[in-house]
Amino acid sequence: MEDFNVNLEKLYHNIYYNIKLSSPKFGLLKCLINQGYIDAQLLFEPSPTSTFNNLSHINAIFFHPNIQHSIIHSFTDDCSLYNTNYRMVVCAISKSDFITINLNAV
């Protein structure tokens, strides 16, 4: 999960059309995508809501495809508690897939 400070729409466009990525900032994201990590917002929004100044999608939560079945929902939130021009990316994950109760505990 990160504020990558790169325009993810531009990244996805360049990858789709096989255009060379000019900024070194794209390196980590391209590596994540090449390793099969998925942007949670893309599961629920074909065109993710902008997260910065209502102009671009620069925040994301990437997860490994092995836990894709555990993702319940992903959305953006206006962060009404803070005076900011960013929107927060929120991802709801099923806790039952990660936290189990040990009945043998004393």
Side-chain angles (χ1 to χ4, degrees):
M1 171 173 49
E2 186 60 55
D3 172 6
F4 292 101
N5 288 326
V6 297
N7 188 327
L8 291 164
E9 287 92 356
K10 183 176 181 180
L11 170 73
Y12 298 140
H13 176 268
N14 287 5
I15 290 173
Y16 184 81
Y17 289 103
N18 202 25
I19 299 170
K20 185 177 181 201
L21 300 169
S22 59
S23 172
K25 289 183 175 184
F26 288 131
L28 172 62
L29 291 166
K30 187 174 179 187
C31 181
L32 287 173
I33 292 167
N34 288 340
Q35 294 293 318
Y37 284 77
I38 301 165
D39 181 344
Q41 283 182 280
L42 293 177
L43 291 175
F44 300 96
E45 297 180 69
S47 296
T49 305
S50 61
T51 57
F52 177 66
N53 282 340
N54 294 323
L55 299 172
S56 61
H57 169 214
I58 65 170
N59 303 336
I61 298 174
F62 282 87
F63 62 91
H64 195 274
N66 288 350
I67 65 166
Q68 180 173 343
H69 68 279
S70 301
I71 307 301
I72 297 169
H73 190 56
S74 183
F75 60 95
T76 59
D77 186 30
D78 287 331
C79 307
S80 58
L81 295 175
Y82 305 101
N83 184 16
T84 180
N85 53 357
Y86 286 87
R87 287 190 180 136
M88 173 175 50
V89 177
V90 178
C91 189
I93 302 171
S94 170
K95 76 176 183 178
S96 64
D97 292 336
F98 299 97
I99 300 172
T100 58
I101 298 172
N102 187 347
L103 298 176
N104 296 328
V106 177

